[in-house]
Amino acid sequence: MDSNISRREQLRIIIFHTDTPAGRRFDQTLLAVILCSLIVVILDSIPAIHANYADLLAYIEWGFTAVFLAEYILRLYSSPRPLQYAFSFYGLVDLLAIVPGILAIYYSDAQYLLIVRIVRMLRIFRVLKLSPYLKQANYLLAALRGSKQKIIVFLASVSTLVIVFGTLMYVIEGPEHGFTSIPTGIYWAIVTLTTVGFGDIVPKTPLGQILSSLVMITGYSIIAVPTGIFTAELANAMRGEQLQHDCPVCAKNTHEHGAAFCSRCGNQLFPRVGEKA
Amino acid sequence: MDSNISRREQLRIIIFHTDTPAGRRFDQTLLAVILCSLIVVILDSIPAIHANYADLLAYIEWGFTAVFLAEYILRLYSSPRPLQYAFSFYGLVDLLAIVPGILAIYYSDAQYLLIVRIVRMLRIFRVLKLSPYLKQANYLLAALRGSKQKIIVFLASVSTLVIVFGTLMYVIEGPEHGFTSIPTGIYWAIVTLTTVGFGDIVPKTPLGQILSSLVMITGYSIIAVPTGIFTAELANAMRGEQLQHDCPVCAKNTHEHGAAFCSRCGNQLFPRVGEKA
Amino acid sequence: MDSNISRREQLRIIIFHTDTPAGRRFDQTLLAVILCSLIVVILDSIPAIHANYADLLAYIEWGFTAVFLAEYILRLYSSPRPLQYAFSFYGLVDLLAIVPGILAIYYSDAQYLLIVRIVRMLRIFRVLKLSPYLKQANYLLAALRGSKQKIIVFLASVSTLVIVFGTLMYVIEGPEHGFTSIPTGIYWAIVTLTTVGFGDIVPKTPLGQILSSLVMITGYSIIAVPTGIFTAELANAMRGEQLQHDCPVCAKNTHEHGAAFCSRCGNQLFPRVGEKA
Amino acid sequence: MDSNISRREQLRIIIFHTDTPAGRRFDQTLLAVILCSLIVVILDSIPAIHANYADLLAYIEWGFTAVFLAEYILRLYSSPRPLQYAFSFYGLVDLLAIVPGILAIYYSDAQYLLIVRIVRMLRIFRVLKLSPYLKQANYLLAALRGSKQKIIVFLASVSTLVIVFGTLMYVIEGPEHGFTSIPTGIYWAIVTLTTVGFGDIVPKTPLGQILSSLVMITGYSIIAVPTGIFTAELANAMRGEQLQHDCPVCAKNTHEHGAAFCSRCGNQLFPRVGEKA
């Protein structure tokens, strides 16, 4: 690295950039550390492990908190605009990854908040920036974005259905069969419509079972709706590789990547200036 | 607003039109009031809340009923043809939203009928009339309409399957394993085929488990059918069926998507610039 | 009807043809009778109804059996080739719809075999012959036929998966957690892979739960396979409206219904005899 | 068969080749034997059968092990390069199909490892080599390969979701409602997100039920993602990507599906008969 770059500048490149070997290595190490810290939180929640290794795991967790604290301070120090970083999305997430560790010293339950560190894993997309994975994620996001309005219409219809079905089941089955309130009925309707079917609350009366059958068949059929929406949009997004341009003659609007002439009518897509279209 | 419009006319515009600012604001307020009234019904069904606030919630509910009654009378008064409104779909729904509130004074169970007020929420589509959401809903409805016949064939096949499987399971497992009657068997078959699987009734005999496996694999596979139907129809609805363009020679006006030549007379649909058609 | 048609011939037209008003009415009546007879069998299986109306329902059932017996004899009598009818698919089904009713006089359990009468409902497709429903059923069947081989490959893979997973779970969890044998393990694997999830048998050991998670995620993901297969085939079948013919010049193989020229290259699809292609 | 082919060569053709009648018959017999051996292992695990026929089944199992051992030795003997075979995928699988049978003499639990013999069933694809089934499997594999990256992005998102939801549920519901540790919470989240819903662990608190509803609706909706990915890829794989045709002027050899004109030079790809290209 160039020697006339200040130490702070060097730090900034390592910490904030991913396109240098050092920056890449830093981000990869960071991801590994975050993963280890998550595993410690998860292990600590298992009674058998907690009983024997509670102290050890607590020390390790404090260690990770110290590491993340040091990293946070370094980020603040090396950032050209520390305040902007502190209030950016990643800055807040980085802070949130430390606070519960400190709180856990006083309130032991706070340690489970450490799971927010998983949000830091989003950096993984920065590490893989140059990989084709992000492009695929973009396809999926484009398909989701394209179907957003249809999905809202769909979710609104589903919400109406579960409220109506939940209330009906509450009236039909009543508290004696586990439908203790309308919200419980709505919870049951969601469990049933999504075809999860825990079985903790089940209809007992013939009328309740007939209505349940209706809910189940509805749920079984309308799963086609989000699937259809997403598939159609994804197929669109994948075709989106293509050149988006209206042919001046036939108005064909998608063309092969790099096309010079329209493949339908044979006319030039981009007439040269001075020629007539 | 123009001063020589009668008070009744003004009311009509506010209540029935959504394309004026006042009408829009009226409908938005109405939706909020309906939503609040639904929340009160739902809250009142929770035992812990009912025990402490039953009276308060009843008063609020009466208040909402009074508001809807007033609104209904205003609608009748301001409508140019009151009878036509009273017997229209929306008119009946508006009436249904009031009646249970009045009945609830005498029969407390009637209050759950208040949930029909959710049907009034359909007005939301009128408020959002100019938004792109309705267009998306139209795509979905077009896809559903296009696949109606296929879906009826599918539902008929599913009904036959669940009746046959339900009867077989009743014969195989019998009342001692929870299959107390053929309708119970059919209910179980629906629970299983739709992959809900409550687990309140489960096969115990080996033969019953083999048949169940068959039902489950069938259910798991044929979910492809409504999904496939809907996806294919939606893709159709989104693509737009055919190319609309008059053939310059024979004037055939619809062509295969992507056609370059007229399939009736063989002439080029889009003559190249500089050539004669 | 023409008077010089014999009585037997008239019967034949009524019973076997659906394209005359009388034949149509006969088939519709028959379907209604079959449906009633099914409802009686189903009602008779409900303990509360059986306790009070067993005799009445048995008499009604005997009545239906008598009606179907009479119909069967009339079919044999009016058929031009009685033996051929007796051994045809419909002939055997018609016989099967009577036999259990007669057996039920001696063995009361035999009456549930009466549910085979539902197979007679297949005639419904003959009644609706001219309706567009059959065309839609044909699309679905064409899509299923087209995807038959892919579905066999898929079912073979699923079978292998459930056998391997079922055996592993039997070894891991063992009889003390409900996995009493390998077939039980396979049954559990089917319940889990198809996302039914009754919950009658559930993994208790950590290793079993990890393997279960794998089974569930596999089942959740591979449901995409039959859906994808069917959707792609159905889209194909729906495009199949088109003219299947290779263009003699560019080999484009599907064309608009009624096309005379290829829409891609503008050449005549069917060159006149004596002209050069 | 030619008489001057050595006995060893003849064996090699029978055992390793599937395109001769003898080789085909050998492979078919082998598949049948493998299937029988699997059925014996499965039957032996059923307590009722094991109690009565344990010895008989053990003898049969030893017989199968002897047969597979003999086959393995013959393969080694007849193979032109025995070591290469021994360390090939199929060679190792063939060895693994014998070892547990020998181990089972000392450790009775080892017999369940015999289920690895199912991997030998993969040879079935060699027997069916000439059938169209393999082509269909290729379509499916091509679609899976094409969607690999999208599926990894999807599985990564699902993993993040279940870890976050599982931890939240552990914190909200706690050990007293069955959520004994974070891994248990994650297991529950997988059971729920995949819509399996065993019902062995269910949320009891209102907050837990609200979060569950969110998990269920998420699971119900995102099942659209793998389905959409696979369907879009399969449709691609089945359509065949591009038109393979040399442009008569510029020799560009792949074109948009349905192209009439070359998108590079604008000339007609398929000149009309009678015109000059």
PDB file of all heavy atoms in Angstrom, chain C residues 149-150 170 181-182 195-197 199 203 220 227-228 250 264-265 267, chain D residues 45 132 136 195-198 219 222-223 231 259-260 270 272-273:
ATOM      1  N   GLN C 149     -43.997 -38.502 -17.832  1.00  0.00           N
ATOM      2  CA  GLN C 149     -42.656 -39.037 -17.594  1.00  0.00           C
ATOM      3  C   GLN C 149     -41.928 -38.226 -16.534  1.00  0.00           C
ATOM      4  O   GLN C 149     -41.254 -38.774 -15.665  1.00  0.00           O
ATOM      5  CB  GLN C 149     -41.866 -39.040 -18.899  1.00  0.00           C
ATOM      6  CG  GLN C 149     -42.466 -40.007 -19.905  1.00  0.00           C
ATOM      7  CD  GLN C 149     -41.790 -39.904 -21.234  1.00  0.00           C
ATOM      8  OE1 GLN C 149     -41.181 -38.883 -21.557  1.00  0.00           O
ATOM      9  NE2 GLN C 149     -41.875 -40.957 -22.017  1.00  0.00           N
ATOM     10  N   LYS C 150     -42.048 -36.897 -16.613  1.00  0.00           N
ATOM     11  CA  LYS C 150     -41.391 -36.059 -15.606  1.00  0.00           C
ATOM     12  C   LYS C 150     -41.944 -36.370 -14.234  1.00  0.00           C
ATOM     13  O   LYS C 150     -41.218 -36.403 -13.251  1.00  0.00           O
ATOM     14  CB  LYS C 150     -41.605 -34.578 -15.926  1.00  0.00           C
ATOM     15  CG  LYS C 150     -40.764 -34.076 -17.078  1.00  0.00           C
ATOM     16  CD  LYS C 150     -40.709 -32.557 -17.047  1.00  0.00           C
ATOM     17  CE  LYS C 150     -40.435 -32.020 -18.428  1.00  0.00           C
ATOM     18  NZ  LYS C 150     -41.581 -32.272 -19.352  1.00  0.00           N
ATOM     19  N   TYR C 170     -35.949 -43.861  11.909  1.00  0.00           N
ATOM     20  CA  TYR C 170     -36.176 -45.046  12.737  1.00  0.00           C
ATOM     21  C   TYR C 170     -34.919 -45.369  13.538  1.00  0.00           C
ATOM     22  O   TYR C 170     -34.987 -45.666  14.732  1.00  0.00           O
ATOM     23  CB  TYR C 170     -36.569 -46.226  11.845  1.00  0.00           C
ATOM     24  CG  TYR C 170     -36.572 -47.552  12.552  1.00  0.00           C
ATOM     25  CD1 TYR C 170     -37.490 -47.803  13.572  1.00  0.00           C
ATOM     26  CD2 TYR C 170     -35.666 -48.551  12.227  1.00  0.00           C
ATOM     27  CE1 TYR C 170     -37.500 -49.017  14.238  1.00  0.00           C
ATOM     28  CE2 TYR C 170     -35.678 -49.763  12.884  1.00  0.00           C
ATOM     29  CZ  TYR C 170     -36.584 -49.993  13.890  1.00  0.00           C
ATOM     30  OH  TYR C 170     -36.593 -51.190  14.558  1.00  0.00           O
ATOM     31  N   SER C 181     -41.213 -48.805  13.570  1.00  0.00           N
ATOM     32  CA  SER C 181     -40.653 -49.668  12.528  1.00  0.00           C
ATOM     33  C   SER C 181     -40.259 -48.799  11.341  1.00  0.00           C
ATOM     34  O   SER C 181     -40.601 -47.611  11.306  1.00  0.00           O
ATOM     35  CB  SER C 181     -41.679 -50.714  12.090  1.00  0.00           C
ATOM     36  OG  SER C 181     -42.787 -50.060  11.509  1.00  0.00           O
ATOM     37  N   ILE C 182     -39.566 -49.378  10.370  1.00  0.00           N
ATOM     38  CA  ILE C 182     -39.191 -48.589   9.189  1.00  0.00           C
ATOM     39  C   ILE C 182     -40.433 -48.133   8.426  1.00  0.00           C
ATOM     40  O   ILE C 182     -40.519 -46.958   8.051  1.00  0.00           O
ATOM     41  CB  ILE C 182     -38.204 -49.360   8.280  1.00  0.00           C
ATOM     42  CG1 ILE C 182     -36.849 -49.502   8.995  1.00  0.00           C
ATOM     43  CG2 ILE C 182     -37.999 -48.628   6.959  1.00  0.00           C
ATOM     44  CD1 ILE C 182     -35.771 -50.184   8.174  1.00  0.00           C
ATOM     45  N   THR C 195     -45.680 -31.840   3.799  1.00  0.00           N
ATOM     46  CA  THR C 195     -46.054 -30.699   4.649  1.00  0.00           C
ATOM     47  C   THR C 195     -47.431 -30.864   5.282  1.00  0.00           C
ATOM     48  O   THR C 195     -48.047 -29.874   5.678  1.00  0.00           O
ATOM     49  CB  THR C 195     -45.991 -29.345   3.898  1.00  0.00           C
ATOM     50  OG1 THR C 195     -47.123 -29.211   3.057  1.00  0.00           O
ATOM     51  CG2 THR C 195     -44.734 -29.178   3.098  1.00  0.00           C
ATOM     52  N   VAL C 196     -47.918 -32.126   5.401  1.00  0.00           N
ATOM     53  CA  VAL C 196     -49.190 -32.349   6.102  1.00  0.00           C
ATOM     54  C   VAL C 196     -48.971 -32.156   7.599  1.00  0.00           C
ATOM     55  O   VAL C 196     -49.638 -31.344   8.241  1.00  0.00           O
ATOM     56  CB  VAL C 196     -49.758 -33.747   5.784  1.00  0.00           C
ATOM     57  CG1 VAL C 196     -50.951 -34.044   6.674  1.00  0.00           C
ATOM     58  CG2 VAL C 196     -50.171 -33.819   4.319  1.00  0.00           C
ATOM     59  N   GLY C 197     -48.024 -32.913   8.169  1.00  0.00           N
ATOM     60  CA  GLY C 197     -47.650 -32.710   9.572  1.00  0.00           C
ATOM     61  C   GLY C 197     -48.767 -32.953  10.557  1.00  0.00           C
ATOM     62  O   GLY C 197     -49.189 -32.032  11.256  1.00  0.00           O
ATOM     63  N   GLY C 199     -48.613 -34.596  13.384  1.00  0.00           N
ATOM     64  CA  GLY C 199     -48.143 -34.403  14.746  1.00  0.00           C
ATOM     65  C   GLY C 199     -48.394 -35.602  15.635  1.00  0.00           C
ATOM     66  O   GLY C 199     -48.186 -35.522  16.839  1.00  0.00           O
ATOM     67  N   PRO C 203     -40.353 -35.940  16.100  1.00  0.00           N
ATOM     68  CA  PRO C 203     -38.998 -36.214  16.583  1.00  0.00           C
ATOM     69  C   PRO C 203     -38.781 -35.584  17.952  1.00  0.00           C
ATOM     70  O   PRO C 203     -39.246 -34.481  18.209  1.00  0.00           O
ATOM     71  CB  PRO C 203     -38.108 -35.567  15.520  1.00  0.00           C
ATOM     72  CG  PRO C 203     -38.953 -34.482  14.946  1.00  0.00           C
ATOM     73  CD  PRO C 203     -40.349 -35.014  14.969  1.00  0.00           C
ATOM     74  N   TYR C 220     -40.735 -28.556   1.310  1.00  0.00           N
ATOM     75  CA  TYR C 220     -41.207 -27.197   1.029  1.00  0.00           C
ATOM     76  C   TYR C 220     -40.668 -26.721  -0.329  1.00  0.00           C
ATOM     77  O   TYR C 220     -41.357 -26.015  -1.065  1.00  0.00           O
ATOM     78  CB  TYR C 220     -40.709 -26.293   2.138  1.00  0.00           C
ATOM     79  CG  TYR C 220     -41.200 -24.880   2.113  1.00  0.00           C
ATOM     80  CD1 TYR C 220     -42.536 -24.582   2.308  1.00  0.00           C
ATOM     81  CD2 TYR C 220     -40.319 -23.825   1.929  1.00  0.00           C
ATOM     82  CE1 TYR C 220     -42.985 -23.285   2.319  1.00  0.00           C
ATOM     83  CE2 TYR C 220     -40.750 -22.524   1.947  1.00  0.00           C
ATOM     84  CZ  TYR C 220     -42.088 -22.255   2.132  1.00  0.00           C
ATOM     85  OH  TYR C 220     -42.526 -20.960   2.144  1.00  0.00           O
ATOM     86  N   THR C 227     -45.311 -28.522  -9.559  1.00  0.00           N
ATOM     87  CA  THR C 227     -45.984 -27.288  -9.971  1.00  0.00           C
ATOM     88  C   THR C 227     -45.350 -26.731 -11.234  1.00  0.00           C
ATOM     89  O   THR C 227     -46.047 -26.369 -12.186  1.00  0.00           O
ATOM     90  CB  THR C 227     -45.903 -26.254  -8.831  1.00  0.00           C
ATOM     91  OG1 THR C 227     -46.381 -26.864  -7.639  1.00  0.00           O
ATOM     92  CG2 THR C 227     -46.719 -25.030  -9.144  1.00  0.00           C
ATOM     93  N   GLY C 228     -44.021 -26.682 -11.250  1.00  0.00           N
ATOM     94  CA  GLY C 228     -43.313 -26.168 -12.416  1.00  0.00           C
ATOM     95  C   GLY C 228     -43.594 -27.013 -13.640  1.00  0.00           C
ATOM     96  O   GLY C 228     -43.870 -26.491 -14.733  1.00  0.00           O
ATOM     97  N   CYS C 250     -38.727 -21.946 -43.077  1.00  0.00           N
ATOM     98  CA  CYS C 250     -37.992 -21.638 -41.841  1.00  0.00           C
ATOM     99  C   CYS C 250     -38.246 -22.643 -40.722  1.00  0.00           C
ATOM    100  O   CYS C 250     -37.703 -22.501 -39.635  1.00  0.00           O
ATOM    101  CB  CYS C 250     -38.312 -20.223 -41.359  1.00  0.00           C
ATOM    102  SG  CYS C 250     -39.931 -20.062 -40.616  1.00  0.00           S
ATOM    103  N   ARG C 264     -43.452 -15.703 -39.746  1.00  0.00           N
ATOM    104  CA  ARG C 264     -42.052 -15.325 -39.552  1.00  0.00           C
ATOM    105  C   ARG C 264     -41.362 -15.017 -40.864  1.00  0.00           C
ATOM    106  O   ARG C 264     -40.675 -14.021 -40.988  1.00  0.00           O
ATOM    107  CB  ARG C 264     -41.288 -16.421 -38.805  1.00  0.00           C
ATOM    108  CG  ARG C 264     -39.840 -16.046 -38.567  1.00  0.00           C
ATOM    109  CD  ARG C 264     -39.223 -16.744 -37.399  1.00  0.00           C
ATOM    110  NE  ARG C 264     -38.944 -18.135 -37.717  1.00  0.00           N
ATOM    111  CZ  ARG C 264     -38.592 -19.046 -36.822  1.00  0.00           C
ATOM    112  NH1 ARG C 264     -38.508 -18.727 -35.551  1.00  0.00           N
ATOM    113  NH2 ARG C 264     -38.345 -20.270 -37.176  1.00  0.00           N
ATOM    114  N   CYS C 265     -41.552 -15.900 -41.889  1.00  0.00           N
ATOM    115  CA  CYS C 265     -40.808 -15.676 -43.126  1.00  0.00           C
ATOM    116  C   CYS C 265     -41.707 -15.288 -44.302  1.00  0.00           C
ATOM    117  O   CYS C 265     -41.216 -14.986 -45.386  1.00  0.00           O
ATOM    118  CB  CYS C 265     -39.971 -16.911 -43.472  1.00  0.00           C
ATOM    119  SG  CYS C 265     -40.977 -18.332 -43.883  1.00  0.00           S
ATOM    120  N   ASN C 267     -43.595 -17.087 -46.159  1.00  0.00           N
ATOM    121  CA  ASN C 267     -43.800 -18.076 -47.219  1.00  0.00           C
ATOM    122  C   ASN C 267     -45.095 -18.843 -47.000  1.00  0.00           C
ATOM    123  O   ASN C 267     -45.591 -18.972 -45.876  1.00  0.00           O
ATOM    124  CB  ASN C 267     -42.617 -19.050 -47.251  1.00  0.00           C
ATOM    125  CG  ASN C 267     -41.401 -18.392 -47.862  1.00  0.00           C
ATOM    126  OD1 ASN C 267     -41.366 -18.108 -49.051  1.00  0.00           O
ATOM    127  ND2 ASN C 267     -40.409 -18.070 -47.015  1.00  0.00           N
TER     128      ASN C 267
ATOM    129  N   SER D  45     -37.800 -54.762  10.449  1.00  0.00           N
ATOM    130  CA  SER D  45     -37.907 -53.697  11.462  1.00  0.00           C
ATOM    131  C   SER D  45     -39.282 -53.668  12.127  1.00  0.00           C
ATOM    132  O   SER D  45     -39.465 -53.001  13.137  1.00  0.00           O
ATOM    133  CB  SER D  45     -37.622 -52.338  10.819  1.00  0.00           C
ATOM    134  OG  SER D  45     -38.754 -51.881  10.117  1.00  0.00           O
ATOM    135  N   PRO D 132     -37.140 -42.459 -22.782  1.00  0.00           N
ATOM    136  CA  PRO D 132     -37.231 -40.996 -22.744  1.00  0.00           C
ATOM    137  C   PRO D 132     -37.190 -40.436 -21.318  1.00  0.00           C
ATOM    138  O   PRO D 132     -37.133 -39.234 -21.127  1.00  0.00           O
ATOM    139  CB  PRO D 132     -38.592 -40.713 -23.387  1.00  0.00           C
ATOM    140  CG  PRO D 132     -39.361 -41.969 -23.220  1.00  0.00           C
ATOM    141  CD  PRO D 132     -38.383 -43.082 -23.175  1.00  0.00           C
ATOM    142  N   GLN D 136     -36.221 -36.527 -19.687  1.00  0.00           N
ATOM    143  CA  GLN D 136     -37.069 -35.727 -18.804  1.00  0.00           C
ATOM    144  C   GLN D 136     -36.313 -35.353 -17.543  1.00  0.00           C
ATOM    145  O   GLN D 136     -36.413 -34.226 -17.064  1.00  0.00           O
ATOM    146  CB  GLN D 136     -38.336 -36.509 -18.451  1.00  0.00           C
ATOM    147  CG  GLN D 136     -39.151 -36.914 -19.657  1.00  0.00           C
ATOM    148  CD  GLN D 136     -39.672 -35.732 -20.426  1.00  0.00           C
ATOM    149  OE1 GLN D 136     -39.884 -34.671 -19.852  1.00  0.00           O
ATOM    150  NE2 GLN D 136     -39.848 -35.872 -21.714  1.00  0.00           N
ATOM    151  N   THR D 195     -45.041 -24.724   6.591  1.00  0.00           N
ATOM    152  CA  THR D 195     -46.469 -25.078   6.683  1.00  0.00           C
ATOM    153  C   THR D 195     -46.690 -26.541   7.054  1.00  0.00           C
ATOM    154  O   THR D 195     -47.755 -27.080   6.777  1.00  0.00           O
ATOM    155  CB  THR D 195     -47.259 -24.741   5.386  1.00  0.00           C
ATOM    156  OG1 THR D 195     -47.008 -25.737   4.412  1.00  0.00           O
ATOM    157  CG2 THR D 195     -46.936 -23.379   4.845  1.00  0.00           C
ATOM    158  N   VAL D 196     -45.689 -27.186   7.687  1.00  0.00           N
ATOM    159  CA  VAL D 196     -45.889 -28.562   8.151  1.00  0.00           C
ATOM    160  C   VAL D 196     -46.810 -28.539   9.377  1.00  0.00           C
ATOM    161  O   VAL D 196     -47.842 -29.211   9.394  1.00  0.00           O
ATOM    162  CB  VAL D 196     -44.546 -29.251   8.472  1.00  0.00           C
ATOM    163  CG1 VAL D 196     -44.775 -30.583   9.154  1.00  0.00           C
ATOM    164  CG2 VAL D 196     -43.747 -29.450   7.191  1.00  0.00           C
ATOM    165  N   GLY D 197     -46.430 -27.777  10.398  1.00  0.00           N
ATOM    166  CA  GLY D 197     -47.299 -27.595  11.558  1.00  0.00           C
ATOM    167  C   GLY D 197     -47.613 -28.857  12.323  1.00  0.00           C
ATOM    168  O   GLY D 197     -48.768 -29.264  12.392  1.00  0.00           O
ATOM    169  N   PHE D 198     -46.581 -29.514  12.926  1.00  0.00           N
ATOM    170  CA  PHE D 198     -46.847 -30.714  13.719  1.00  0.00           C
ATOM    171  C   PHE D 198     -47.822 -30.431  14.854  1.00  0.00           C
ATOM    172  O   PHE D 198     -48.700 -31.236  15.142  1.00  0.00           O
ATOM    173  CB  PHE D 198     -45.546 -31.236  14.334  1.00  0.00           C
ATOM    174  CG  PHE D 198     -44.687 -31.977  13.361  1.00  0.00           C
ATOM    175  CD1 PHE D 198     -43.331 -31.720  13.270  1.00  0.00           C
ATOM    176  CD2 PHE D 198     -45.230 -32.952  12.546  1.00  0.00           C
ATOM    177  CE1 PHE D 198     -42.535 -32.422  12.386  1.00  0.00           C
ATOM    178  CE2 PHE D 198     -44.428 -33.654  11.657  1.00  0.00           C
ATOM    179  CZ  PHE D 198     -43.082 -33.384  11.577  1.00  0.00           C
ATOM    180  N   GLY D 219     -44.490 -17.883   5.328  1.00  0.00           N
ATOM    181  CA  GLY D 219     -44.237 -19.207   4.749  1.00  0.00           C
ATOM    182  C   GLY D 219     -45.184 -19.512   3.605  1.00  0.00           C
ATOM    183  O   GLY D 219     -44.783 -20.071   2.583  1.00  0.00           O
ATOM    184  N   ILE D 222     -44.009 -17.118   0.598  1.00  0.00           N
ATOM    185  CA  ILE D 222     -42.713 -17.275  -0.066  1.00  0.00           C
ATOM    186  C   ILE D 222     -42.542 -18.638  -0.692  1.00  0.00           C
ATOM    187  O   ILE D 222     -41.556 -18.872  -1.376  1.00  0.00           O
ATOM    188  CB  ILE D 222     -41.511 -16.950   0.854  1.00  0.00           C
ATOM    189  CG1 ILE D 222     -41.449 -17.896   2.040  1.00  0.00           C
ATOM    190  CG2 ILE D 222     -41.515 -15.497   1.266  1.00  0.00           C
ATOM    191  CD1 ILE D 222     -40.171 -17.694   2.848  1.00  0.00           C
ATOM    192  N   ILE D 223     -43.493 -19.556  -0.475  1.00  0.00           N
ATOM    193  CA  ILE D 223     -43.417 -20.816  -1.207  1.00  0.00           C
ATOM    194  C   ILE D 223     -43.509 -20.510  -2.704  1.00  0.00           C
ATOM    195  O   ILE D 223     -43.072 -21.290  -3.553  1.00  0.00           O
ATOM    196  CB  ILE D 223     -44.527 -21.790  -0.776  1.00  0.00           C
ATOM    197  CG1 ILE D 223     -44.098 -23.209  -1.127  1.00  0.00           C
ATOM    198  CG2 ILE D 223     -45.859 -21.446  -1.389  1.00  0.00           C
ATOM    199  CD1 ILE D 223     -44.962 -24.259  -0.501  1.00  0.00           C
ATOM    200  N   THR D 231     -40.323 -22.909 -12.129  1.00  0.00           N
ATOM    201  CA  THR D 231     -41.223 -22.873 -13.283  1.00  0.00           C
ATOM    202  C   THR D 231     -40.613 -22.064 -14.418  1.00  0.00           C
ATOM    203  O   THR D 231     -40.610 -22.487 -15.580  1.00  0.00           O
ATOM    204  CB  THR D 231     -42.586 -22.277 -12.886  1.00  0.00           C
ATOM    205  OG1 THR D 231     -43.091 -22.999 -11.777  1.00  0.00           O
ATOM    206  CG2 THR D 231     -43.573 -22.340 -14.033  1.00  0.00           C
ATOM    207  N   ALA D 259     -37.540 -14.679 -34.483  1.00  0.00           N
ATOM    208  CA  ALA D 259     -37.030 -13.566 -35.289  1.00  0.00           C
ATOM    209  C   ALA D 259     -37.312 -13.801 -36.778  1.00  0.00           C
ATOM    210  O   ALA D 259     -37.208 -14.930 -37.261  1.00  0.00           O
ATOM    211  CB  ALA D 259     -35.523 -13.411 -35.071  1.00  0.00           C
ATOM    212  N   ALA D 260     -37.653 -12.751 -37.492  1.00  0.00           N
ATOM    213  CA  ALA D 260     -37.858 -12.838 -38.935  1.00  0.00           C
ATOM    214  C   ALA D 260     -36.688 -12.175 -39.661  1.00  0.00           C
ATOM    215  O   ALA D 260     -36.312 -12.552 -40.755  1.00  0.00           O
ATOM    216  CB  ALA D 260     -39.162 -12.174 -39.328  1.00  0.00           C
ATOM    217  N   PHE D 270     -35.130 -15.686 -43.549  1.00  0.00           N
ATOM    218  CA  PHE D 270     -35.676 -16.746 -44.397  1.00  0.00           C
ATOM    219  C   PHE D 270     -36.269 -16.096 -45.642  1.00  0.00           C
ATOM    220  O   PHE D 270     -37.443 -15.741 -45.661  1.00  0.00           O
ATOM    221  CB  PHE D 270     -36.753 -17.536 -43.646  1.00  0.00           C
ATOM    222  CG  PHE D 270     -36.275 -18.068 -42.333  1.00  0.00           C
ATOM    223  CD1 PHE D 270     -36.512 -17.366 -41.159  1.00  0.00           C
ATOM    224  CD2 PHE D 270     -35.571 -19.262 -42.263  1.00  0.00           C
ATOM    225  CE1 PHE D 270     -36.064 -17.857 -39.953  1.00  0.00           C
ATOM    226  CE2 PHE D 270     -35.135 -19.751 -41.050  1.00  0.00           C
ATOM    227  CZ  PHE D 270     -35.387 -19.045 -39.895  1.00  0.00           C
ATOM    228  N   ARG D 272     -38.106 -15.108 -48.989  1.00  0.00           N
ATOM    229  CA  ARG D 272     -39.298 -15.734 -49.547  1.00  0.00           C
ATOM    230  C   ARG D 272     -38.938 -16.442 -50.836  1.00  0.00           C
ATOM    231  O   ARG D 272     -38.086 -16.000 -51.595  1.00  0.00           O
ATOM    232  CB  ARG D 272     -40.359 -14.666 -49.798  1.00  0.00           C
ATOM    233  CG  ARG D 272     -40.819 -14.092 -48.475  1.00  0.00           C
ATOM    234  CD  ARG D 272     -41.775 -12.973 -48.681  1.00  0.00           C
ATOM    235  NE  ARG D 272     -43.023 -13.456 -49.253  1.00  0.00           N
ATOM    236  CZ  ARG D 272     -44.070 -12.667 -49.442  1.00  0.00           C
ATOM    237  NH1 ARG D 272     -44.009 -11.392 -49.120  1.00  0.00           N
ATOM    238  NH2 ARG D 272     -45.165 -13.151 -49.946  1.00  0.00           N
ATOM    239  N   VAL D 273     -39.576 -17.550 -51.071  1.00  0.00           N
ATOM    240  CA  VAL D 273     -39.308 -18.353 -52.261  1.00  0.00           C
ATOM    241  C   VAL D 273     -39.564 -17.487 -53.495  1.00  0.00           C
ATOM    242  O   VAL D 273     -40.572 -16.784 -53.572  1.00  0.00           O
ATOM    243  CB  VAL D 273     -40.210 -19.599 -52.264  1.00  0.00           C
ATOM    244  CG1 VAL D 273     -40.021 -20.390 -53.544  1.00  0.00           C
ATOM    245  CG2 VAL D 273     -39.908 -20.448 -51.039  1.00  0.00           C
TER     246      VAL D 273
END
